[in-house]
Amino acid sequence: MPTREPTTALARLGVALLTISIDKSNGINSAFASVECSANPFDQKSLTHLLPHAGARGMGVIAKRTLGNAPWRFADRPSGHYCETYWLRRKAMALDIADMPWNEFSLRFSAFAPTVSSAIVGTSSIANLPRNIEHVEAGPLPEALFGEACGRFGMLGNDWPGEI
């Protein structure tokens, strides 16, 4: 797994106001310098289908939905809720992240995924920002844990579309 040295946590948690247009050949329009897409343990399509092309062109990659809409907040299926899709995927993947909090796992997965330059983290409270910074400062996930998440998604997620 390629890893990057953490620059600064704040740089990885940056926000960019860019949109892209998609062409049919590989999902990348070379007129833009960066691409923004969903990237988290429960939504990995962009990691294998879009980001390799962006990385090959030297484009910046902005990961959004890095917490996957925080599906761990719900013990029972949140029918009709914005995070229902990710809740179902999380349950199906049945990842064992030991004693790591889910928000830390998801944020570190997303912020340090190959070719990701920056990660957008939504929050309901500014009080969460210091904790998110600490999680990113911890660096990439252990290689085995990152690999397990990718492997489970690869086995189960072939028919799971990327979320917009």
Side-chain angles (χ1 to χ4, degrees), residues 17-68:
L17 301 174
L18 293 175
T19 58
I20 63 164
S21 77
I22 303 297
D23 74 31
K24 300 291 183 196
S25 62
N26 61 21
I28 300 293
N29 184 322
S30 59
F32 295 91
S34 64
V35 62
E36 178 182 321
C37 55
S38 295
N40 62 65
F42 322 112
D43 195 348
Q44 298 182 34
K45 283 287 191 202
S46 62
L47 298 180
T48 56
H49 292 82
L50 177 69
L51 301 189
H53 299 290
R57 293 186 182 192
M59 297 176 77
V61 174
I62 304 160
K64 69 174 187 165
R65 289 199 180 165
T66 55
L67 296 178

Side-chain angles (χ1 to χ4, degrees), residues 1-4 12 38-48 51 63-68 72 93 95 97 100-119 135-136 138-154:
M1 168 188 78
T3 60
R4 295 175 177 260
R12 285 213 172 258
S38 295
N40 62 65
F42 322 112
D43 195 348
Q44 298 182 34
K45 283 287 191 202
S46 62
L47 298 180
T48 56
L51 301 189
K64 69 174 187 165
R65 289 199 180 165
T66 55
L67 296 178
W72 48 86
M93 290 172 72
L95 292 167
I97 62 168
M100 184 181 297
W102 277 102
N103 60 329
E104 177 179 355
F105 168 75
S106 190
L107 184 54
R108 289 173 64 191
F109 178 96
S110 304
F112 294 98
T115 72
V116 169
S117 310
S118 183
H135 293 332
V136 172
L141 288 174
E143 194 169 324
L145 187 54
F146 183 85
E148 179 184 347
C150 291
R152 295 273 175 94
F153 190 91

